[in-house]
Amino acid sequence: MDREKLLTEARDRYGEALILGEPVLARAVIEQALGRGLSRAEIYLEVLAPSQIRLGEMWHEGSINVAQEHLATTITMEMMDYLRQGMTPRKGLGMRAVVTPVEGDQHTIGARMIADFLAMDGWEVFFLGNGTPGKDLAEFVRQRNADLVALSSTLPEFLANAATAAGAIREANSPPPKILLGGKALDRTTQGAEELGCDATAGDVLEAVAESRRLVGLREERLSLEEQLAMMGLKIKEARTSRRMTQQALADASGLDRTYISLVEHGKQNLSIGAVLKIAYALDVPIGDLVVSPSSDGKG
């Protein structure tokens, strides 16, 4: 069974466990996925995150109630604790980050994932499980002498609170830390980072880590080959799905095998320049949109 099928099966079974509210079943699904060779990072990004998003959609649709949604969130947080225990962080970077949902937004999964991936990247991370009023958050950031504040907003109605928090942080800290904003709310707004009072935005967890490094001047440190491939694979998958293309359709258009495309999207396949060009042409995007290329000046 290829990795795409393994991930789909794990995602479906994990989603069922969440709907049933069965933490033992959820743990069994995750353990089996690990036993079949899926990485912890893949499970975070391709099983836990989409399953939780789907549960949120079901709650909005009225298919499940608030209690079920809260239990599902608790189960996923427990699975994240379990997965994190088996991950080996990088050598410390000497950088501090405060990560929190924006005030009023009770969705914590996205912020927690960013916190976990930053910690694995070598950051000293202070994760605030709940949204904190801007004034109190600004004081906490000052006390911890943070280099970065990562805010998360799942619902667009709370984006204004991100701008309020950013303003309070800048007023209370001199020089102020860099401020990054992520979360699904960004998919439903045309406002950019500057309009929201932040230095940058990130559309997903891997981009959040890359942007965090860039903002504090660490982008010049080279990413490992594994990280490069993972980020490139994510970019290719995002470009494909945004065009409503299947993996088979991309394979046909690029003249590559579907299994090869699956491995690429999951960061498990090294690519030649020729293969990247074929994929870029098939997706009708500039090759630069797919390649992760840290700049030497730290500006992008």
Side-chain angles (χ1 to χ4, degrees):
M1 186 179 292
D2 66 27
R3 300 189 82 81
E4 188 67 27
K5 289 182 179 178
L6 285 174
L7 283 166
T8 298
E9 180 182 316
R11 188 162 49 242
D12 290 345
R13 292 184 60 220
Y14 183 76
E16 291 173 5
L18 291 186
I19 293 171
L20 293 171
E22 293 287 349
V24 175
L25 177 58
R27 172 71 171 260
V29 172
I30 299 306
E31 289 178 343
Q32 184 181 51
L34 289 170
R36 288 177 154 184
L38 295 178
S39 71
R40 284 171 162 78
E42 282 179 303
I43 294 171
Y44 257 84
L45 299 173
E46 301 286 354
V47 177
L48 302 189
S51 296
Q52 198 65 33
I53 290 171
R54 178 55 188 147
L55 264 291
E57 293 171 347
M58 291 177 68
W59 173 70
H60 282 292
E61 296 165 359
S63 303
I64 61 173
N65 60 34
V66 173
Q68 289 172 292
E69 197 268 343
H70 285 180
L71 177 56
T73 297
T74 299
I75 292 172
T76 294
M77 294 289 275
E78 290 174 354
M79 293 306 101
M80 291 167 69
D81 286 337
Y82 169 64
L83 289 170
R84 190 170 59 256
Q85 290 169 12
M87 293 178 168
T88 303
R90 278 183 169 189
K91 180 181 177 182
L93 297 173
M95 292 288 174
R96 291 184 163 193
V98 173
V99 183
T100 179
V102 298
E103 183 179 5
D105 198 327
Q106 298 183 28
H107 295 78
T108 61
I109 295 292
R112 178 58 181 274
M113 284 194 173
I114 292 173
D116 285 354
F117 273 71
L118 285 175
M120 287 183 274
D121 192 47
W123 294 69
E124 182 180 0
V125 179
F126 303 95
F127 172 63
L128 308 184
N130 296 300
T132 305
K135 183 178 179 181
D136 293 333
L137 175 59
E139 178 61 18
F140 181 84
V141 170
R142 187 187 67 78
Q143 292 173 351
R144 292 299 187 276
N145 193 28
D147 302 285
L148 173 83
V149 178
L151 303 172
S152 173
S153 180
T154 300
L155 301 176
E157 53 262 39
F158 296 116
L159 280 174
N161 293 345
T164 300
I169 291 167
R170 295 186 194 286
E171 184 176 344
N173 294 266
S174 181
K178 297 299 183 180
I179 303 174
L180 175 70
L181 177 63
K184 297 298 291 182
L186 294 173
D187 294 340
R188 290 180 272 177
T189 182
T190 58
Q191 293 178 291
E194 185 175 348
E195 295 171 278
L196 293 167
C198 302
D199 295 296
T201 59
D204 55 69
V205 173
L206 292 179
E207 186 179 356
V209 174
E211 279 297 297
S212 296
R213 280 176 161 267
R214 182 186 69 81
L215 288 173
V216 300
L218 289 174
R219 186 109 180 243
E220 68 276 6
E221 182 176 321
R222 292 184 180 181
L223 299 176
S224 68
L225 175 60
E226 183 179 81
E227 291 166 329
Q228 290 271 2
L229 294 176
M231 293 184 71
M232 186 184 299
L234 186 63
K235 288 175 178 290
I236 290 170
K237 183 174 182 179
E238 288 177 343
R240 175 180 63 78
T241 55
S242 70
R243 288 160 177 75
R244 299 184 181 279
M245 292 178 71
T246 63
Q247 287 185 342
Q248 187 61 60
L250 178 55
D252 293 342
S254 61
L256 300 169
D257 186 76
R258 192 203 65 79
T259 301
Y260 181 90
I261 296 295
S262 177
L263 290 172
V264 166
E265 290 189 351
H266 292 102
K268 302 300 179 182
Q269 176 66 54
N270 205 344
L271 294 87
S272 66
I273 292 297
V276 178
L277 281 170
K278 289 179 179 179
I279 292 172
Y281 291 154
L283 292 170
D284 193 25
V285 298
I287 190 172
D289 286 1
L290 304 179
V291 177
V292 182
S293 53
S295 66
S296 57
D297 62 7
K299 294 181 182 179

